[in-house]
Every structure is written in structure tokens, then in C-alpha cells.
Amino acid sequence: MYRLVCVHCAATYAPDQIIYTCNRCGHLLAVEYDLDDIEVFRGEWDRRPLSVWRYREILPVRGEPISLQEGGTPLYHLKEIGRELGLPELYAKHEGMNPTGSFKDRGMTVGVSMACQLGMTSVACASTGNTSASLAAYAARGGIPCVVLLPAGKVALGKVAQALMHGARVISIRGNFDRALEMVHELCISHGLYLLNSVNPYRLEGQKTIGFEAVDQLGDVPDRFVLPVGNAGNISAVYKGLRELEALGLIDRLPMMTGIQAAGSQPVVKAIEENLNVLIPEPEPETVATAIRIGAPVNAEKALVAIRATGGTAAAVTDDEILCMQRDLARMEGIGVEPASAASVAGIRKLAEEGSIDRDERIVCVVTGHLLKDPETVVRQCEPPLEIDADLHSLLSALRL
Ligand code: F0G
């Protein structure tokens, strides 16, 4: 059994109510389970493959989900970068290895399954790119129409390509993501589409499984969990999930939740640094990491709780630091990620260099999306291929052999 509960005033709503914010106070909702009733047999989870659906007892979907085999992503030991930073226990959970190349697939398998379970006949989202790519694919899989709103000119090529190819109705607005989200929210309320941004409490349930998998892969709770923060849904989701594991008695402590933002778009970092409870939105967010180019993160209230309650922190990294780490992950570790994803590891580099983290910590950085999502930013950073005549002599001289 589960219900929807306001994260602010604790008002409760029936689980089949189509509602995204509290009628009483306007804050966001979360799914609350009767954890005492849930019979979770740890051994049974261990027998199932690593995937979102390994943990189905604490997910809201009943019956067969709409799935593309999401989750079960690799947890890589960052040996070289860890050695450089003096962090022997540094890991990256590569969410770019999901079906559409980002962690959003964990949310969408649950979100689109819930859309169908609730009898909704169309779905929509605003997106900096990955959410739209993922929703388009899962809507196609579920056979329901999908509308996505994008900030014009600010979405990486691979993501737009995915949304188009999976058959979404793709609309670019002359405005930023924050405005697109307001618009799609209004559209969904007025025209009955099912909203699948991270204001949707069911979608975030799928994303909490990143934390479950990392604990299962390490065989223990990491000391620190590091995520890039845009709308702040993912960091909130991972924290919520780990608290559920704690309530079930499956873990006995929580990691320090650590959020990393881009310097040109860092309202959560400022709220943590200045000890604010209410976020001051950034009206003109700007960063090369377009996925997290968000000035008014809607899940900030939850993220601030997650960071503060676990003794975590938040830090900002510059575009240069992000791109440098994107290259280092690719060249030193063989791990290809998009710029926003490199932000989490760039943040750890910064915190380690400042001396603000303990070198013995076991750290999991979530790298959220695949390198191929944003080929244009890659090509801009790298030398183009050397074009030569088609003969061995030219090849040898190009290779200086
Ligand atoms: N990393 C990537 C690659 C993302 O696409 C996003 C968010 C984040 C990190 C931040 O996650 O919003 O939960 O804090 N992308 C959204 C989108 C906004 O529309 O694809 P968050």
C-alpha cells in the first residue's frame, strides 16, 4: 500500500489522484509506502538481476511494467583519477549505459508504466534534452502519444535526435527550461496530459534505484554520494530511496549527499553556502553542461533536506573544470560521459583539492548521461581527424613513422 504525501505539510492524497502539487500548500508530493507491510526478502532481491525492477516491492507499479531493460548499470572504480586525487575508493556509476543513454530511463519506466496504470492516454514533459529522449522512447514502447518542450537552441544534438526519431511531438520554445516547465505544467493541468517531469512523484521512484544498485554493487553504503544537480530531482530521489532502505533495516547509515552544479547555474550551492531555506532562482542560467542549465530547480526543497540531513555539501564547478574532467574520464578511465555528468567527478576533484573531504572516503559519483548525447561539444574540444591520401606512405608520414 502507498499514498501521496506533501513533502511540506504532510497532507495525503490517494495514489490514483492525478496531482503534482499539494492542493493545500502548493509544495511537491512524494510516494509513501507502508514499509511495515512490505515483505522484502533481501535474499530474493539478490537472486534477481541488477535492474530497476529488482526492487519492485518498493516501487508503485503493479503488473507488468513498460520496460526497455533499464538499470543494472556498471559501477566503475576510477583508479587513475582516484590515484591523482589521493582517493583510493572513488567510483563512477555510469548511468549513460541505460537504454536511451541517461538515468532518466529509470524514472520513465516507472513514470510511463504509471501513466498507463492510471489510465492516462498521453504524456508530456519539458526538458533540457535527456528527459525528452527517454520519455519519447518509453511512450513509443507504451504506445501512447508524447509531447516534449525544449529550450530552443540549448539542447544537445543527440537528445533532440532521439526525441524526434522516437516520434514525440517536439516543440522548441524561445525561452529557457524553467519557462518550458511552467508551460508544460499548465498544458498538462488544462488538457489532461500526464506530466512526466520530476515534479511527478512516481517518476522519481524509479530514479531512487540508482542508490539501491550502488549499495548492492559495493556490498556496503558509500560514505558519499555525488550527483550533478539541475532540477534537483535525482539527488532527492536517491536520498528518499536510501532512507527507505534504512527504515527497512537493510542499511544502518546514510551517505553524505553531495550536489554539484555548474558555476553559471548554482542556486542550490548558494542556498547551502548561505544557509537559506528558500532558493533564489538564477534568472539567466548558462553553462556548457546544457543538461543542468536550470535556474529554478523545482525539487530544491527536498534536495536541501537531503544534503543537510546527511552532513553532505554542494559545490559549483566552472565550464573549464567540467570539460577537463570529461576529457580525463574519457582518456584516463575509458569512460565516455556528457558534460553535465562530468560535473559530479569535477566537483569531487575540487572538494579533494580544497581538502574538504576525507581521503579515506568511499565515494560514488553518478555520471548521468553518455558521451554520444552531445557530440558537438566533443568535436569542439578535440582536434579533427587528419585527412590524408589513401596510400601507405601518407599514413606513415601522418603517424610520423
Ligand atoms: N545530468 C544529466 C545528464 C541530466 O540530463 C540532468 C537533468 C541532470 C544531470 C540533473 O538531474 O534535474 O534531477 O537534478 N536533466 C533534465 C532533462 C532536466 O530535462 O533532461 P536533476
Side-chain angles (χ1 to χ4, degrees):
M1 282 286 286
Y2 58 88
R3 65 197 68 79
L4 298 173
V5 180
C6 173
V7 299
H8 193 72
C9 76
T12 60
Y13 299 89
D16 57 355
Q17 212 169 325
I18 308 302
I19 183 171
Y20 312 104
T21 51
C22 179
N23 286 338
R24 252 207 265 166
C25 72
H27 287 251
L28 293 182
L29 307 173
V31 183
E32 185 186 80
Y33 302 87
D34 290 325
L35 292 176
D36 291 344
D37 297 351
I38 290 175
E39 296 202 13
V40 182
F41 298 107
R42 193 62 249 226
E44 190 156 328
W45 281 5
D46 288 344
R47 279 193 294 277
R48 296 178 192 159
L50 196 69
S51 107
V52 168
W53 299 104
R54 169 185 272 206
Y55 312 99
R56 58 179 173 252
E57 285 81 1
I58 40 177
L59 292 172
V61 178
R62 301 292 166 251
E64 213 31 53
I66 291 161
S67 172
L68 290 163
Q69 296 188 20
E70 44 293 314
T73 56
L75 182 75
Y76 296 124
H77 186 198
L78 299 183
K79 283 203 200 111
E80 294 304 319
I81 294 173
R83 185 172 304 141
E84 176 208 300
L85 300 178
L87 299 172
E89 292 275 1
L90 182 64
Y91 297 85
K93 183 131 175 84
H94 195 350
E95 289 295 297
M97 304 298 270
N98 274 296
T100 77
S102 85
F103 70 95
K104 306 289 180 178
D105 296 340
R106 294 181 186 269
M108 290 308 174
T109 184
V110 173
V112 175
S113 298
M114 287 306 290
C116 296
Q117 190 169 310
L118 295 167
M120 304 303 282
T121 52
S122 56
V123 290
C125 71
S127 181
T128 58
N130 282 321
T131 299
S132 65
S134 182
L135 181 58
Y138 282 85
R141 188 84 180 158
I144 48 175
C146 159
V147 174
V148 307
L149 264 65
L150 306 177
K154 294 292 182 182
V155 177
L157 185 64
K159 306 173 189 181
V160 183
Q162 288 177 292
L164 291 170
M165 184 51 100
H166 286 300
R169 290 185 68 182
V170 181
I171 315 275
S172 280
I173 67 147
R174 294 184 204 101
N176 64 23
F177 168 83
D178 303 291
R179 181 63 195 132
L181 181 54
E182 286 169 2
M183 286 172 63
V184 78
H185 199 155
E186 284 169 35
L187 173 76
C188 288
I189 300 292
S190 62
H191 285 76
L193 291 84
Y194 193 54
L195 179 60
L196 275 167
N197 279 101
S198 55
V199 294
N200 183 308
Y202 292 125
R203 193 193 111 185
L204 290 184
E205 289 300 289
Q207 289 173 211
K208 74 187 181 185
T209 60
I210 299 175
F212 298 170
E213 286 188 9
V215 169
D216 280 354
Q217 286 167 307
L218 282 177
D220 197 2
V221 185
D223 299 305
R224 190 179 293 277
F225 222 102
V226 190
L227 297 101
V229 170
N231 236 351
N234 212 26
I235 191 168
S236 311
V238 170
Y239 171 68
K240 176 185 188 282
L242 293 173
R243 286 203 51 196
E244 286 167 356
L245 289 194
E246 193 184 34
L248 287 164
L250 297 175
I251 60 174
D252 57 7
R253 64 197 167 93
L254 295 171
M256 292 175 275
M257 299 302 297
T258 301
I260 310 296
Q261 293 196 293
S265 173
Q266 50 162 319
V268 171
V269 178
K270 287 188 179 150
I272 290 291
E273 282 174 355
E274 291 162 28
N275 208 15
L276 310 175
N277 282 326
V278 181
L279 210 78
I280 303 166
E282 166 59 62
E284 305 281 342
E286 204 46 85
T287 166
V288 69
T290 51
I292 52 172
R293 185 177 170 272
I294 295 177
V298 287
N299 289 286
E301 181 181 4
K302 292 188 264 171
L304 294 178
V305 170
I307 292 168
R308 289 179 178 141
T310 57
T313 189
V317 284
T318 64
D319 282 359
D320 283 349
E321 289 167 336
I322 289 173
L323 294 178
C324 175
M325 183 52 81
Q326 185 189 23
R327 290 192 299 274
D328 288 347
L329 281 165
R331 294 174 184 190
M332 294 167 71
E333 304 283 358
I335 298 173
V337 303
E338 66 167 291
S341 314
S344 58
V345 194
I348 277 301
R349 173 179 272 162
K350 186 168 182 187
L351 291 171
E353 286 172 356
E354 282 170 6
S356 25
I357 55 176
D358 190 335
R359 305 275 164 175
D360 297 331
E361 285 180 11
R362 188 178 263 191
I363 301 169
V364 172
C365 297
V366 181
V367 294
T368 42
H370 200 277
L371 170 81
L372 292 172
K373 289 281 190 172
D374 188 355
E376 288 169 317
T377 303
V378 174
V379 169
R380 270 199 298 275
Q381 289 179 74
C382 301
E383 288 291 317
L386 205 59
E387 189 174 317
I388 59 164
D389 289 334
D391 60 71
L392 192 61
H393 177 74
S394 304
L395 176 60
L396 294 176
S397 78
L399 295 174
R400 292 185 223 282
L401 290 174

